[in-house]
Amino acid sequence: NGGLYTKAAQFVASLQGGAGDKGIPKAYVDVLRVLTDSAPFHAFDEMNQVLVEEFGVGADELFASFEKEPIAAASLAQVHRAVLQDGMHVAVKILYPSLRKEMASDFAMFRRLGGQMKPGGYDMLWLVEDFESAIRSELDCEHEARNCEIAARLLAGRRGVKFPQVVWDLTRSDVLVMEYVPGLMRLTEPEVLVANGLQLFEC
């Protein structure tokens, strides 16, 4: 299973934070962290169909070039590198086409489990409902693009902060196209940050 189950694994991988092994054991986090950007990816033909449904044409006509092998894959979408007709290098995020259909049944199962699990007498359904609301907000790439531009305006002028430019002509509810920014690093890998001359307290 992918989709929601992968998202749940990502959630667990993010819980360790500063709690160390007193929170989620590091061994679990290390195993699950791969799902944040290296989950099993979907075939290009399947993802290209999303572009056809959104724009009427596929990647070969939309872009000057398009890398069929994704550079990252997570629970809800995968990302491909591409070049626009004007030469701009971009990252193309495409939601998985079967996601909404699968998530309907997945959340039905989660609600059933949530109704049966009452640790310490506490009703856990609220957590399932909150999780569902958060996930559904991630299924709108246009909403994500607007939030990116809002954050860019709020942090404008702040040294060391960069937000990739949204390509609105090629952004839809299931597709997000943004300026490709190379050299991104994980905040969870301090040794990589230090090796690149960054101060941990600034990250």
Side-chain angles (χ1 to χ4, degrees):
N1 287 312
L4 180 60
Y5 298 94
T6 303
K7 192 67 179 180
Q10 291 176 351
F11 177 70
V12 172
S14 71
L15 289 179
Q16 189 184 35
D21 284 346
K22 293 180 180 178
I24 303 299
K26 186 176 184 298
Y28 289 23
V29 173
D30 289 343
V31 170
L32 296 175
R33 185 174 290 149
V34 68
L35 296 175
T36 60
D37 61 7
S38 301
F41 59 84
H42 291 220
F44 168 73
D45 288 344
E46 181 183 352
M47 305 307 291
N48 194 46
Q49 187 58 37
V50 177
L51 298 176
V52 172
E53 292 175 2
E54 291 283 13
F55 301 101
V57 294
D60 290 343
E61 294 184 55
L62 284 173
F63 303 95
S65 66
F66 187 94
E67 295 184 9
K68 296 182 178 181
E69 187 86 4
I71 58 174
S75 57
L76 308 180
Q78 62 191 45
V79 179
H80 296 258
R81 288 188 62 178
V83 179
L84 300 184
Q85 303 296 347
D86 64 5
M88 180 181 179
H89 289 253
V90 295
V92 184
K93 175 181 177 179
I94 307 174
L95 296 184
Y96 297 130
S98 59
L99 192 60
R100 288 181 174 84
K101 179 180 178 181
E102 293 173 352
M103 288 183 69
S105 59
D106 288 344
F107 273 118
M109 178 59 69
F110 269 67
R111 282 191 292 271
R112 176 177 295 181
L113 292 174
Q116 296 173 351
M117 296 170 58
K118 299 183 185 297
Y122 291 104
D123 186 351
M124 299 301 292
L125 273 178
W126 70 269
L127 184 59
V128 175
E129 293 169 356
D130 191 58
F131 186 39
E132 180 174 3
S133 176
I135 293 300
R136 293 196 183 282
S137 71
E138 293 188 41
L139 297 181
D140 184 350
C141 289
E142 291 173 311
H143 177 73
E144 180 179 348
R146 287 191 294 271
N147 283 342
C148 180
E149 292 194 335
I150 290 171
R153 287 196 298 271
L154 292 173
L155 295 173
R158 186 181 176 94
R159 185 178 65 86
V161 176
K162 177 178 175 58
F163 288 87
Q165 175 188 343
V166 176
V167 181
W168 279 106
D169 288 346
L170 294 174
T171 293
R172 299 290 188 274
S173 61
D174 285 353
V175 181
L176 173 59
V177 178
M178 308 180 78
E179 169 192 6
Y180 176 75
V181 180
L184 297 181
M185 292 169 280
R186 294 176 184 269
L187 291 176
T188 54
E189 297 178 346
E191 67 281 359
V192 177
L193 298 174
V194 171
N196 283 273
L198 297 174
Q199 299 294 327
L200 295 182
F201 71 88
E202 293 181 346
C203 299

